[in-house]
Coordinates of all heavy atoms in Angstrom, one line a residue:
M1 N 6.2 18.8 -10.5 CA 5.2 17.7 -10.6 C 4.0 18.1 -9.7 O 4.2 18.3 -8.5 CB 5.8 16.4 -10.2 CG 5.0 15.2 -10.6 SD 3.7 14.7 -9.3 CE 4.8 14.3 -7.9
S2 N 2.8 18.1 -10.2 CA 1.6 18.3 -9.4 C 0.7 17.1 -9.7 O 0.5 16.7 -10.8 CB 0.9 19.6 -9.7 OG -0.4 19.5 -9.3
V3 N 0.1 16.6 -8.6 CA -0.8 15.5 -8.8 C -1.9 15.8 -9.8 O -2.4 14.9 -10.5 CB -1.4 15.0 -7.4 CG1 -2.4 14.0 -7.6 CG2 -0.2 14.5 -6.5
D4 N -2.3 17.1 -9.8 CA -3.4 17.5 -10.7 C -3.1 17.2 -12.2 O -4.0 17.0 -13.0 CB -3.7 19.0 -10.6 CG -4.1 19.3 -9.2 OD1 -4.6 18.4 -8.5 OD2 -4.1 20.5 -8.8
H5 N -1.8 17.1 -12.5 CA -1.4 17.0 -13.9 C -1.1 15.5 -14.3 O -0.8 15.3 -15.4 CB -0.2 17.8 -14.2 CG -0.4 19.3 -14.0 ND1 0.4 20.0 -13.1 CD2 -1.3 20.1 -14.5 CE1 0.0 21.3 -13.2 NE2 -1.0 21.4 -14.0
L6 N -1.4 14.6 -13.4 CA -1.1 13.2 -13.6 C -2.2 12.5 -14.3 O -3.4 12.6 -13.9 CB -0.7 12.5 -12.3 CG 0.6 12.9 -11.7 CD1 0.8 12.1 -10.4 CD2 1.8 12.8 -12.6
A7 N -1.9 11.8 -15.4 CA -2.9 11.0 -16.1 C -2.5 9.6 -16.0 O -1.3 9.3 -16.2 CB -3.0 11.5 -17.5
P8 N -3.4 8.7 -15.8 CA -3.1 7.2 -15.7 C -2.7 6.6 -17.0 O -3.3 6.9 -18.0 CB -4.3 6.6 -15.1 CG -5.5 7.5 -15.5 CD -4.9 8.9 -15.6
L9 N -1.7 5.8 -16.9 CA -1.2 5.0 -18.1 C -1.6 3.6 -18.0 O -1.8 2.9 -19.0 CB 0.3 5.2 -18.4 CG 0.8 6.6 -18.8 CD1 2.3 6.5 -19.0 CD2 0.1 7.1 -20.0
G10 N -1.6 3.0 -16.8 CA -1.8 1.6 -16.6 C -1.3 1.1 -15.3 O -0.8 1.9 -14.5
V11 N -1.4 -0.2 -15.1 CA -0.9 -0.8 -13.8 C 0.2 -1.7 -14.2 O 0.3 -2.2 -15.3 CB -2.0 -1.6 -13.1 CG1 -3.1 -0.6 -12.6 CG2 -2.6 -2.6 -14.0
L12 N 1.1 -1.9 -13.2 CA 2.3 -2.7 -13.5 C 2.1 -4.1 -13.1 O 2.7 -5.0 -13.7 CB 3.5 -2.2 -12.6 CG 4.0 -0.7 -13.0 CD1 5.2 -0.4 -12.2 CD2 4.2 -0.6 -14.5
G13 N 1.3 -4.4 -12.0 CA 1.2 -5.7 -11.5 C 0.1 -6.5 -12.2 O -0.6 -6.0 -13.1
T14 N 0.0 -7.7 -11.8 CA -1.1 -8.6 -12.3 C -1.8 -9.1 -11.0 O -1.4 -8.9 -9.9 CB -0.6 -9.8 -13.0 OG1 0.2 -10.6 -12.1 CG2 0.3 -9.4 -14.2
E15 N -3.0 -9.7 -11.3 CA -3.7 -10.3 -10.1 C -2.9 -11.3 -9.4 O -2.9 -11.4 -8.1 CB -5.0 -11.0 -10.6 CG -6.3 -10.1 -10.5 CD -7.5 -10.9 -11.0 OE1 -7.8 -11.9 -10.4 OE2 -8.1 -10.4 -12.0
E16 N -2.1 -12.1 -10.1 CA -1.2 -13.1 -9.5 C -0.1 -12.5 -8.6 O 0.3 -13.0 -7.6 CB -0.6 -14.0 -10.5 CG -1.7 -14.8 -11.3 CD -2.3 -14.0 -12.5 OE1 -1.6 -13.6 -13.3 OE2 -3.5 -13.8 -12.4
S17 N 0.4 -11.4 -9.1 CA 1.6 -10.8 -8.4 C 1.1 -9.9 -7.2 O 2.0 -9.5 -6.4 CB 2.5 -10.0 -9.3 OG 1.8 -8.9 -9.8
W18 N -0.1 -9.6 -7.1 CA -0.6 -8.6 -6.1 C -0.2 -9.0 -4.7 O 0.2 -8.2 -3.9 CB -2.1 -8.5 -6.2 CG -2.8 -7.6 -5.2 CD1 -3.3 -8.0 -4.0 CD2 -2.9 -6.2 -5.3 NE1 -3.7 -6.9 -3.3 CE2 -3.5 -5.8 -4.1 CE3 -2.6 -5.3 -6.3 CZ2 -3.8 -4.4 -3.9 CZ3 -2.9 -3.9 -6.1 CH2 -3.5 -3.5 -4.8
E19 N -0.2 -10.3 -4.4 CA 0.1 -10.8 -3.0 C 1.6 -10.9 -2.7 O 1.9 -11.2 -1.6 CB -0.6 -12.1 -2.7 CG -2.1 -12.0 -2.8 CD -2.7 -11.0 -1.7 OE1 -2.0 -10.8 -0.7 OE2 -3.7 -10.4 -2.0
R20 N 2.4 -10.7 -3.8 CA 3.8 -10.8 -3.5 C 4.3 -9.6 -2.8 O 4.2 -8.5 -3.3 CB 4.5 -10.9 -4.9 CG 6.0 -11.2 -4.6 CD 6.7 -11.5 -5.9 NE 8.1 -11.9 -5.6 CZ 9.1 -12.1 -6.5 NH1 8.8 -11.9 -7.7 NH2 10.3 -12.4 -6.1
L21 N 4.9 -9.8 -1.6 CA 5.4 -8.7 -0.8 C 6.9 -8.6 -0.7 O 7.4 -7.7 0.0 CB 4.7 -8.8 0.6 CG 3.2 -8.7 0.7 CD1 2.7 -9.0 2.1 CD2 2.8 -7.4 0.2
D22 N 7.6 -9.5 -1.3 CA 9.1 -9.4 -1.3 C 9.6 -8.2 -2.0 O 9.0 -7.8 -3.0 CB 9.7 -10.6 -2.1 CG 9.2 -11.9 -1.6 OD1 9.0 -12.1 -0.4 OD2 9.0 -12.8 -2.4
E23 N 10.6 -7.5 -1.4 CA 11.2 -6.4 -1.9 C 12.6 -6.7 -2.3 O 13.2 -7.6 -1.8 CB 11.1 -5.2 -0.9 CG 9.7 -4.8 -0.6 CD 9.7 -3.7 0.5 OE1 10.8 -3.1 0.7 OE2 8.6 -3.5 1.1
F24 N 13.1 -5.9 -3.3 CA 14.5 -6.1 -3.8 C 15.4 -4.9 -3.4 O 15.2 -3.8 -3.9 CB 14.4 -6.3 -5.3 CG 15.7 -6.6 -5.9 CD1 16.3 -7.8 -5.8 CD2 16.4 -5.6 -6.7 CE1 17.5 -8.2 -6.4 CE2 17.6 -6.0 -7.3 CZ 18.2 -7.3 -7.1
H25 N 16.3 -5.2 -2.4 CA 17.2 -4.1 -1.9 C 18.5 -4.7 -1.7 O 19.0 -4.8 -0.5 CB 16.6 -3.6 -0.6 CG 15.3 -2.9 -0.7 ND1 15.1 -1.7 -1.4 CD2 14.1 -3.3 -0.2 CE1 13.8 -1.4 -1.3 NE2 13.2 -2.3 -0.6
P26 N 19.3 -5.0 -2.8 CA 20.6 -5.6 -2.6 C 21.6 -4.6 -2.0 O 22.6 -5.1 -1.4 CB 21.0 -6.0 -4.0 CG 20.2 -5.1 -4.9 CD 18.9 -4.8 -4.1
D27 N 21.4 -3.3 -2.0 CA 22.3 -2.4 -1.5 C 21.9 -1.7 -0.3 O 22.3 -0.5 0.0 CB 22.7 -1.4 -2.6 CG 23.3 -2.0 -3.8 OD1 24.1 -2.9 -3.6 OD2 23.0 -1.6 -5.0
G28 N 21.0 -2.3 0.5 CA 20.6 -1.7 1.8 C 19.6 -0.6 1.7 O 19.4 0.1 2.7
T29 N 19.0 -0.4 0.6 CA 18.0 0.7 0.5 C 16.7 0.2 1.2 O 16.6 -1.0 1.5 CB 17.7 1.1 -1.0 OG1 17.4 -0.1 -1.7 CG2 18.9 1.8 -1.6
N30 N 15.7 1.1 1.4 CA 14.4 0.6 1.8 C 13.4 1.0 0.8 O 13.7 1.6 -0.2 CB 14.1 1.1 3.2 CG 14.1 2.6 3.3 OD1 13.3 3.3 2.5 ND2 14.9 3.2 4.1
L31 N 12.1 0.7 1.2 CA 11.0 0.8 0.2 C 11.0 2.1 -0.6 O 10.9 2.1 -1.8 CB 9.7 0.7 1.0 CG 8.4 0.7 0.2 CD1 8.4 -0.3 -0.9 CD2 7.2 0.4 1.2
W32 N 11.2 3.3 0.1 CA 11.1 4.5 -0.6 C 12.3 5.3 -0.6 O 12.3 6.5 -0.7 CB 9.8 5.3 -0.1 CG 8.6 4.6 -0.5 CD1 7.8 3.8 0.3 CD2 8.0 4.5 -1.8 NE1 6.8 3.2 -0.4 CE2 6.9 3.6 -1.7 CE3 8.3 5.1 -3.1 CZ2 6.0 3.3 -2.8 CZ3 7.4 4.8 -4.1 CH2 6.3 3.9 -4.0
S33 N 13.5 4.7 -0.5 CA 14.7 5.4 -0.6 C 14.7 6.0 -2.0 O 14.3 5.3 -3.0 CB 15.9 4.4 -0.5 OG 15.9 3.8 0.7
P34 N 15.2 7.2 -2.2 CA 15.3 7.8 -3.5 C 16.1 6.9 -4.5 O 15.8 7.0 -5.7 CB 16.0 9.2 -3.3 CG 15.8 9.5 -1.9 CD 15.7 8.2 -1.1
D35 N 17.0 6.2 -4.0 CA 17.9 5.4 -4.9 C 17.5 3.9 -4.8 O 18.3 3.1 -5.3 CB 19.4 5.6 -4.6 CG 19.7 5.3 -3.1 OD1 18.8 5.2 -2.3 OD2 20.9 5.1 -2.8
A36 N 16.4 3.6 -4.3 CA 16.0 2.2 -4.2 C 15.7 1.7 -5.6 O 15.2 2.4 -6.5 CB 14.7 2.0 -3.4
P37 N 16.1 0.4 -5.9 CA 15.9 -0.1 -7.3 C 14.3 -0.2 -7.5 O 13.6 -0.4 -6.6 CB 16.4 -1.5 -7.2 CG 17.2 -1.6 -6.0 CD 16.8 -0.5 -5.0
I38 N 14.0 0.1 -8.8 CA 12.6 -0.2 -9.2 C 12.6 -1.6 -9.8 O 12.9 -1.7 -11.0 CB 12.2 0.9 -10.2 CG1 12.2 2.3 -9.5 CG2 10.8 0.6 -10.8 CD1 11.9 3.5 -10.4
A39 N 12.3 -2.5 -9.0 CA 12.4 -3.9 -9.4 C 11.0 -4.4 -9.9 O 10.1 -4.7 -9.1 CB 12.9 -4.8 -8.3
L40 N 10.9 -4.6 -11.2 CA 9.6 -5.0 -11.7 C 9.3 -6.4 -11.3 O 10.2 -7.3 -11.3 CB 9.7 -5.0 -13.3 CG 10.1 -3.6 -13.8 CD1 10.2 -3.6 -15.3 CD2 9.0 -2.5 -13.3
G41 N 8.1 -6.7 -10.9 CA 7.7 -8.0 -10.4 C 7.9 -8.1 -8.9 O 7.5 -9.1 -8.3
W42 N 8.5 -7.1 -8.2 CA 8.7 -7.1 -6.8 C 7.8 -6.0 -6.1 O 7.5 -5.1 -6.8 CB 10.1 -6.9 -6.4 CG 11.0 -7.9 -6.9 CD1 11.3 -8.3 -8.2 CD2 11.9 -8.8 -6.1 NE1 12.2 -9.3 -8.3 CE2 12.5 -9.7 -7.0 CE3 12.1 -9.0 -4.7 CZ2 13.4 -10.7 -6.5 CZ3 12.9 -9.9 -4.3 CH2 13.6 -10.8 -5.2
H43 N 7.5 -6.2 -4.9 CA 6.7 -5.2 -4.1 C 7.6 -4.0 -4.0 O 8.7 -4.0 -3.8 CB 6.4 -5.8 -2.7 CG 5.5 -5.0 -2.0 ND1 5.9 -4.0 -1.1 CD2 4.1 -4.9 -2.0 CE1 4.9 -3.4 -0.5 NE2 3.8 -3.9 -1.0
P44 N 7.0 -2.8 -4.1 CA 5.6 -2.5 -4.3 C 5.1 -2.3 -5.8 O 4.0 -1.9 -6.1 CB 5.4 -1.1 -3.6 CG 6.7 -0.4 -3.9 CD 7.7 -1.5 -3.9
Y45 N 6.0 -2.7 -6.7 CA 5.8 -2.4 -8.1 C 4.7 -3.4 -8.6 O 4.1 -3.2 -9.7 CB 7.0 -2.5 -8.9 CG 8.0 -1.5 -8.2 CD1 9.0 -2.0 -7.4 CD2 7.8 -0.1 -8.3 CE1 9.8 -1.1 -6.7 CE2 8.6 0.8 -7.6 CZ 9.6 0.3 -6.8 OH 10.3 1.1 -6.1
T46 N 4.5 -4.5 -7.9 CA 3.4 -5.4 -8.2 C 2.0 -4.7 -7.9 O 1.0 -5.2 -8.4 CB 3.5 -6.7 -7.4 OG1 3.6 -6.3 -6.0 CG2 4.7 -7.5 -7.8
R47 N 2.0 -3.6 -7.2 CA 0.8 -2.9 -6.8 C 0.8 -1.5 -7.3 O -0.1 -0.7 -6.9 CB 0.6 -3.0 -5.3 CG 0.5 -4.4 -4.8 CD 0.2 -4.3 -3.3 NE -0.1 -5.7 -2.8 CZ -0.7 -5.9 -1.7 NH1 -1.0 -4.9 -0.9 NH2 -0.9 -7.2 -1.3
S48 N 1.7 -1.1 -8.1 CA 1.8 0.3 -8.5 C 1.1 0.5 -9.8 O 1.0 -0.4 -10.7 CB 3.3 0.7 -8.7 OG 3.9 0.7 -7.4
S49 N 0.7 1.8 -10.0 CA 0.1 2.2 -11.3 C 1.1 3.2 -11.8 O 1.8 3.9 -11.1 CB -1.3 2.7 -11.1 OG -1.3 3.7 -10.1
L50 N 1.0 3.3 -13.1 CA 2.0 4.2 -13.9 C 1.2 5.4 -14.4 O 0.1 5.3 -14.9 CB 2.5 3.5 -15.1 CG 3.5 4.2 -16.0 CD1 4.7 4.6 -15.2 CD2 3.9 3.2 -17.1
W51 N 1.8 6.6 -14.1 CA 1.1 7.9 -14.5 C 2.1 8.8 -15.2 O 3.3 8.7 -15.0 CB 0.7 8.6 -13.2 CG -0.4 7.8 -12.4 CD1 -0.1 6.7 -11.7 CD2 -1.7 8.1 -12.2 NE1 -1.3 6.2 -11.1 CE2 -2.3 7.1 -11.4 CE3 -2.6 9.2 -12.7 CZ2 -3.6 7.1 -11.0 CZ3 -3.9 9.2 -12.3 CH2 -4.4 8.2 -11.5
R52 N 1.5 9.6 -16.0 CA 2.3 10.6 -16.8 C 1.9 12.0 -16.4 O 0.7 12.3 -16.4 CB 2.1 10.3 -18.3 CG 3.0 11.2 -19.2 CD 2.9 10.7 -20.6 NE 3.5 11.6 -21.5 CZ 3.0 12.7 -22.0 NH1 1.8 13.1 -21.7 NH2 3.7 13.5 -22.8
C53 N 2.9 12.8 -16.3 CA 2.6 14.2 -16.0 C 2.5 15.0 -17.2 O 3.3 15.0 -18.1 CB 3.8 14.8 -15.1 SG 3.6 16.6 -14.8
A54 N 1.3 15.7 -17.4 CA 1.0 16.4 -18.6 C 1.9 17.7 -18.7 O 2.1 18.2 -19.8 CB -0.4 16.8 -18.6
Q55 N 2.5 18.1 -17.6 CA 3.3 19.3 -17.6 C 4.7 19.1 -18.1 O 5.3 19.7 -18.9 CB 3.3 20.0 -16.3 CG 2.2 21.0 -16.1 CD 2.5 22.0 -15.0 OE1 3.1 21.6 -14.0 NE2 2.0 23.2 -15.1
C56 N 5.3 18.1 -17.5 CA 6.8 17.9 -17.7 C 7.0 16.5 -18.5 O 8.1 16.2 -18.8 CB 7.5 17.9 -16.4 SG 7.2 16.5 -15.3
S57 N 6.0 15.8 -18.8 CA 6.1 14.5 -19.5 C 6.8 13.5 -18.6 O 7.1 12.4 -19.2 CB 6.7 14.6 -20.8 OG 6.0 15.4 -21.7
G58 N 7.0 13.7 -17.4 CA 7.7 12.7 -16.5 C 6.7 11.6 -16.2 O 5.5 11.7 -16.2
A59 N 7.3 10.4 -15.9 CA 6.5 9.3 -15.6 C 6.6 9.0 -14.1 O 7.7 9.2 -13.5 CB 7.0 8.0 -16.3
F60 N 5.6 8.7 -13.4 CA 5.5 8.5 -12.0 C 4.8 7.2 -11.6 O 3.9 6.8 -12.3 CB 4.8 9.7 -11.3 CG 5.5 11.0 -11.5 CD1 5.3 11.7 -12.6 CD2 6.5 11.4 -10.6 CE1 6.0 12.9 -12.8 CE2 7.2 12.6 -10.7 CZ 7.0 13.3 -11.9
L61 N 5.3 6.6 -10.6 CA 4.6 5.4 -10.0 C 3.8 5.8 -8.8 O 4.3 6.6 -8.0 CB 5.7 4.4 -9.6 CG 6.5 3.8 -10.8 CD1 7.7 3.0 -10.2 CD2 5.7 3.0 -11.7
R62 N 2.6 5.3 -8.7 CA 1.8 5.6 -7.5 C 1.4 4.3 -6.9 O 1.2 3.3 -7.5 CB 0.5 6.3 -7.9 CG 0.8 7.6 -8.6 CD -0.5 8.4 -9.0 NE -1.0 9.1 -7.8 CZ -2.1 9.9 -7.9 NH1 -2.7 10.1 -9.0 NH2 -2.5 10.5 -6.8
Y63 N 1.5 4.3 -5.6 CA 1.2 3.1 -4.8 C 0.5 3.5 -3.5 O 1.0 4.5 -2.8 CB 2.5 2.4 -4.5 CG 2.5 1.5 -3.4 CD1 1.8 0.3 -3.4 CD2 3.3 1.7 -2.2 CE1 1.8 -0.5 -2.3 CE2 3.3 0.9 -1.1 CZ 2.6 -0.3 -1.2 OH 2.6 -1.1 -0.1
T64 N -0.5 2.8 -3.1 CA -1.2 3.1 -1.9 C -0.7 2.2 -0.8 O -0.8 0.9 -1.0 CB -2.7 3.0 -2.0 OG1 -3.1 3.9 -3.1 CG2 -3.4 3.5 -0.8
E65 N -0.2 2.7 0.3 CA 0.3 1.9 1.3 C -0.8 1.8 2.4 O -1.2 2.8 2.9 CB 1.6 2.5 1.9 CG 2.4 1.6 2.8 CD 3.7 2.2 3.2 OE1 4.4 2.6 2.2 OE2 4.0 2.3 4.3
Y66 N -1.1 0.5 2.8 CA -2.1 0.3 3.9 C -1.4 -0.1 5.1 O -1.0 -1.3 5.2 CB -3.1 -0.7 3.4 CG -3.9 -0.3 2.2 CD1 -3.4 -0.7 0.9 CD2 -5.0 0.4 2.3 CE1 -4.1 -0.3 -0.2 CE2 -5.7 0.8 1.2 CZ -5.3 0.4 -0.1 OH -6.0 0.8 -1.2
G67 N -1.2 0.8 6.1 CA -0.6 0.4 7.4 C -1.8 0.0 8.3 O -2.9 0.0 8.0
G68 N -1.4 -0.3 9.6 CA -2.4 -0.7 10.6 C -3.4 0.3 10.8 O -4.6 0.1 10.9
Y69 N -2.9 1.6 10.8 CA -3.9 2.7 11.2 C -3.8 3.9 10.2 O -4.2 5.0 10.5 CB -3.5 3.3 12.6 CG -3.7 2.2 13.7 CD1 -2.6 1.5 14.1 CD2 -4.9 1.9 14.2 CE1 -2.7 0.5 15.0 CE2 -5.1 0.9 15.2 CZ -4.0 0.2 15.6 OH -4.1 -0.8 16.5
Y70 N -3.3 3.6 9.0 CA -3.2 4.7 8.1 C -3.3 4.2 6.6 O -3.0 3.0 6.4 CB -1.9 5.5 8.2 CG -0.7 4.7 7.9 CD1 -0.1 4.7 6.7 CD2 -0.1 3.8 8.9 CE1 1.0 3.9 6.3 CE2 1.0 3.1 8.6 CZ 1.6 3.1 7.3 OH 2.6 2.4 7.0
V71 N -3.6 5.1 5.7 CA -3.5 4.8 4.3 C -2.7 5.9 3.7 O -3.1 7.1 3.9 CB -4.9 4.7 3.7 CG1 -4.8 4.5 2.2 CG2 -5.7 3.5 4.2
E72 N -1.7 5.6 3.1 CA -0.8 6.7 2.5 C -0.5 6.5 1.1 O -0.2 5.4 0.6 CB 0.5 6.7 3.3 CG 1.3 8.0 3.1 CD 2.4 8.1 4.1 OE1 2.5 7.3 5.1 OE2 3.3 9.0 4.0
E73 N -0.7 7.6 0.3 CA -0.5 7.6 -1.1 C 1.0 8.0 -1.4 O 1.4 9.0 -0.9 CB -1.4 8.7 -1.8 CG -1.4 8.7 -3.2 CD -2.2 7.6 -3.9 OE1 -2.9 6.8 -3.2 OE2 -2.1 7.4 -5.1
R74 N 1.6 7.1 -2.1 CA 3.0 7.3 -2.4 C 3.2 7.6 -3.9 O 2.5 6.9 -4.7 CB 3.9 6.1 -2.1 CG 3.7 5.6 -0.7 CD 4.5 6.4 0.3 NE 4.6 5.7 1.6 CZ 5.6 6.0 2.5 NH1 6.4 7.0 2.2 NH2 5.6 5.4 3.6
I75 N 4.1 8.5 -4.2 CA 4.4 8.8 -5.6 C 5.9 8.8 -5.8 O 6.6 9.4 -5.0 CB 3.8 10.2 -6.0 CG1 2.3 10.1 -5.9 CG2 4.2 10.5 -7.5 CD1 1.6 11.4 -6.3
R76 N 6.4 8.2 -6.8 CA 7.8 8.1 -7.0 C 8.1 8.3 -8.5 O 7.4 7.7 -9.4 CB 8.2 6.7 -6.5 CG 9.5 6.2 -7.1 CD 10.1 5.1 -6.2 NE 11.5 5.4 -6.1 CZ 12.4 4.5 -6.1 NH1 12.1 3.2 -6.1 NH2 13.7 4.8 -6.1
P77 N 9.1 9.1 -8.8 CA 9.4 9.3 -10.3 C 10.0 8.0 -10.8 O 10.8 7.3 -10.1 CB 10.5 10.4 -10.3 CG 10.9 10.6 -8.9 CD 9.9 10.0 -7.9
L78 N 9.6 7.7 -12.0 CA 10.1 6.5 -12.7 C 11.4 6.8 -13.4 O 11.3 7.4 -14.5 CB 9.0 6.0 -13.7 CG 9.4 4.7 -14.4 CD1 9.5 3.5 -13.5 CD2 8.4 4.4 -15.5
L79 N 12.5 6.5 -12.7 CA 13.8 6.9 -13.3 C 14.4 5.6 -14.0 O 14.6 4.6 -13.3 CB 14.7 7.4 -12.2 CG 14.2 8.6 -11.4 CD1 15.2 9.0 -10.3 CD2 14.0 9.8 -12.4
A80 N 14.7 5.8 -15.3 CA 15.2 4.6 -16.0 C 16.4 4.0 -15.4 O 16.5 2.7 -15.4 CB 15.5 5.1 -17.5
D81 N 17.3 4.8 -14.8 CA 18.5 4.2 -14.2 C 18.3 3.3 -13.1 O 19.1 2.5 -12.7 CB 19.4 5.4 -13.7 CG 20.0 6.2 -14.9 OD1 19.9 5.7 -16.0 OD2 20.6 7.2 -14.6
L82 N 17.1 3.4 -12.5 CA 16.8 2.6 -11.3 C 16.0 1.3 -11.6 O 15.9 0.4 -10.8 CB 16.0 3.4 -10.3 CG 16.7 4.6 -9.7 CD1 15.7 5.3 -8.7 CD2 17.9 4.2 -8.9
I83 N 15.6 1.2 -12.8 CA 14.8 0.0 -13.2 C 15.7 -1.3 -13.3 O 16.7 -1.2 -14.0 CB 14.0 0.2 -14.5 CG1 13.1 1.4 -14.4 CG2 13.3 -1.0 -14.9 CD1 12.4 1.9 -15.6
V84 N 15.3 -2.3 -12.6 CA 16.0 -3.6 -12.7 C 15.0 -4.7 -12.9 O 13.8 -4.5 -12.5 CB 16.9 -3.8 -11.4 CG1 18.0 -2.8 -11.3 CG2 16.0 -3.8 -10.2
N85 N 15.4 -5.8 -13.4 CA 14.6 -6.9 -13.6 C 15.3 -8.2 -13.0 O 15.8 -9.0 -13.8 CB 14.2 -7.1 -15.1 CG 13.0 -8.0 -15.3 OD1 12.5 -8.5 -14.3 ND2 12.6 -8.2 -16.5
P86 N 15.4 -8.3 -11.7 CA 16.2 -9.3 -11.1 C 15.6 -10.7 -11.3 O 14.4 -10.8 -11.5 CB 16.2 -9.0 -9.6 CG 15.1 -8.1 -9.4 CD 14.7 -7.4 -10.7
Ligands
ZN1 ZN1 5.5 17.2 -13.9

């Protein structure tokens, strides 16, 4: 996966859900654990955009994290097994 090959498909959140910061981690994962649930409607998926890789056809979620002193671009593969709708 190379960022150069990613094409945008759309955004997951809505204006209303943007401010929602609750995360869903019933099994003790954290925000970017490889096995963290992808909980639609929960942070950070309320702020993520969906991208498709032209090379491997994989789908990826991108999310920009704004810390106190940094801005970090996050990319996570969209794995069907991890998607939940709690
Ligand atoms: Zn790829």
Side-chain angles (χ1 to χ4, degrees):
M1 192 275 294
S2 160
V3 172
D4 297 342
H5 298 123
L6 292 180
L9 293 181
V11 296
L12 298 187
T14 62
E15 261 180 61
E16 296 80 64
S17 67
W18 177 265
E19 294 302 330
R20 183 170 188 191
L21 296 175
D22 305 323
E23 297 177 16
F24 185 70
H25 298 290
D27 297 321
T29 50
N30 63 54
L31 182 52
W32 293 99
S33 301
D35 57 343
I38 296 172
L40 303 178
W42 295 63
H43 188 267
Y45 307 103
T46 50
R47 297 184 173 198
S48 294
S49 53
L50 182 61
W51 298 69
R52 183 174 174 274
C53 176
Q55 269 200 331
C56 66
S57 297
F60 295 86
L61 297 171
R62 301 179 82 173
Y63 159 67
T64 306
E65 192 172 308
Y66 299 92
Y69 298 97
Y70 66 93
V71 173
E72 198 166 347
E73 185 78 7
R74 307 281 198 162
I75 300 183
R76 158 161 224 217
L78 181 64
L79 301 177
D81 288 351
L82 295 178
I83 298 173
V84 296
N85 195 359

